[in-house]
Amino acid sequence: MKALVPTGDPAEPVVLADVPEPTPRADEALVRVEAFSVNRGETFKLEAPVDAERPGARPADRPGKDIAGLVVQPAADGSGPAGITRVVGHPMAGGWAEFAAVPTHALAVLPDGVSALQGAALPLAGLTALRLLRTAGPVLGRRVLLTGASGGVGHYVTELAAAAGAEVTAVTRDAERGARLTALGAAEIVHHPADARGPYDLVLESTGGAALPVALARLARRGTLIWFGQASRTPVTLDFFAFFDGPESAVIRHFHYLDADTALGDDLAALVRLTAEGRLHPEIGRVADWTDTATTLTDLRDRRIRGKAVLTLS
C-alpha cells in the first residue's frame, strides 16, 4: 500500500512510498483511510533522525493519529464496529496511509450527518479540548484565559467552554482569527497574555516560554493554571515570589490528554454526537489531496494555517 513516510528533510518532511499493509491485532479493525488531519506536534516528531535502512517501514515510525474512513476488516475478537462502517479513529501512529490498523477502543462510528473531513478533524484536538475541560471541572460563571487559541484545540476549547457557561478570554495573534473565536463564543480577544485584564479563575496555557509566567500573573488567588502544551518550544522560568503579587497559593497542573479514565472511543463518540447536533464545529483551515501533505506540514509548522488541516486520499 501507499503511505507517507518521514524523510528527515525539513523542506519535504514526508514522501509517498510503498510499505507493507498493516496486520491488525485481535482487538484492532482495519480501516481504509478516506481523510486524515495533521497536528503541529507531529511536525516536531518528523524532526527526529530517520533510519536509513527502513525509513517509515514500520507503522510506529510513521506519524498519523487522526483518521476517518471505512472499516473493511472488523476486529477478530468481535469488539468494535462490525461490517463496513464509517468511523473516526485515533491510532497512535501510522494513520497517513491507505490503510490503518486501529484499536477498537479508539474508534467511533460516524453518522451520515458528519463528513469524513469533519471526522478527521476531531480526534487529537477534540479529545484534548474535551478532556482538558473535564480536568478543569465546572466552568459555569468562571473567567477563563486561554492562550494559543488559534489552533484546533483552541477553537474546540472556546466553543465547549463558552457553551458550558464560561467567560472566555482567548489569546490569538491577529484580528481575523479572533473574529472566528468570537463567533464560537469567546467574550474577549487579546493578542498577548499581557493584554488580558484578569483576574481569571482558570488559565489554560499551551504556549510555555515567556508567555506562561505572564498568563500566571493574571490568575486569581488560589486559582488554577493547567499547562497543556509548549508551542513555543521554550522552557519556562518561574519566580516563587511573583506569586505574592496576585496568584497566591495558585495551583499549576500538568495535563496530558491520554491520562484519562474514559476510553478514547467513548470520548470520540461524544465529539461526533456534538458535531452531528450542530453544537461543535470543527474548524478546518485547509483541505488538500494527500499528495500535498509535505507542503501542508511545512505551512502548519510555520503557523500559516488556522484551525485544522485535513488531507484526503484520492
Side-chain angles (χ1 to χ4, degrees):
M1 71 170 185
K2 294 291 186 183
L4 289 160
V5 302
T7 65
D9 180 1
E12 189 179 15
V14 293
V15 294
L16 276 172
D18 291 307
V19 302
E21 187 174 304
T23 302
R25 297 193 301 264
D27 64 343
E28 292 180 332
L30 185 65
V31 177
R32 188 178 75 202
V33 180
E34 294 183 340
F36 61 83
S37 68
V38 296
N39 302 284
R40 280 195 85 235
E42 290 170 315
T43 69
F44 303 155
K45 182 176 181 179
L46 292 171
E47 296 173 5
V50 171
D51 184 340
E53 295 183 359
R54 289 169 54 87
R58 298 175 301 168
D61 296 332
R62 296 186 273 112
K65 292 187 173 186
D66 296 358
I67 68 169
L70 290 173
V71 171
V72 293
Q73 180 181 317
D77 67 0
S79 62
I84 298 178
T85 308
R86 298 179 68 241
V87 292
V88 54
H90 189 55
M92 289 298 101
W96 302 350
E98 291 181 302
F99 295 92
V102 186
T104 54
H105 69 78
L107 286 173
V109 174
L110 279 182
D112 291 340
V114 180
S115 70
L117 296 179
Q118 292 173 305
L122 285 173
L124 181 58
L127 289 167
T128 299
L130 181 67
R131 292 176 167 191
L132 178 65
L133 288 170
R134 192 178 289 148
T135 299
V139 295
L140 178 63
R142 300 180 74 189
R143 299 193 67 197
V144 178
L145 177 64
L146 171 65
T147 68
S150 298
V153 175
H155 285 90
Y156 288 134
V157 168
T158 298
E159 186 167 22
L160 291 171
E167 182 183 332
V168 180
T169 295
V171 182
T172 184
R173 293 190 303 160
D174 57 61
E176 180 184 358
R177 297 175 187 233
R180 179 55 182 155
L181 291 165
T182 299
L184 292 173
E188 185 177 12
I189 302 297
V190 297
H191 302 308
H192 191 278
D195 301 326
R197 289 173 289 181
Y200 297 95
D201 305 297
L202 175 67
V203 172
L204 304 176
E205 215 295 302
S206 65
T207 306
L212 190 148
V214 175
L216 178 64
R218 271 73 186 157
L219 190 63
R221 182 172 180 264
R222 295 183 179 174
T224 299
L225 182 148
I226 303 179
W227 191 1
F228 70 99
Q230 190 161 294
S232 68
R233 309 184 73 183
T234 304
V236 173
T237 300
L238 295 177
D239 179 358
F240 173 84
F241 296 102
F243 283 76
F244 294 104
D245 294 330
E248 187 175 6
S249 298
V251 172
I252 297 178
R253 177 168 180 173
H254 176 264
F255 170 85
H256 182 219
Y257 83 105
L258 289 178
D259 182 16
D261 295 327
T262 51
L264 289 167
D266 292 341
D267 285 345
L268 281 174
L271 294 167
V272 169
R273 176 179 57 80
L274 290 170
T275 303
E277 294 172 353
R279 298 164 62 189
L280 189 66
H281 299 83
E283 186 71 9
I284 301 174
R286 178 177 299 180
V287 177
D289 188 84
W290 75 322
T291 55
D292 294 328
T293 300
T295 299
T296 300
L297 287 167
T298 301
D299 288 344
L300 185 67
R301 181 192 64 202
D302 296 339
R303 300 183 180 277
R304 290 192 286 267
I305 299 174
R306 181 185 68 210
K308 297 291 295 180
V310 179
L311 290 306
T312 60
L313 276 66
S314 51

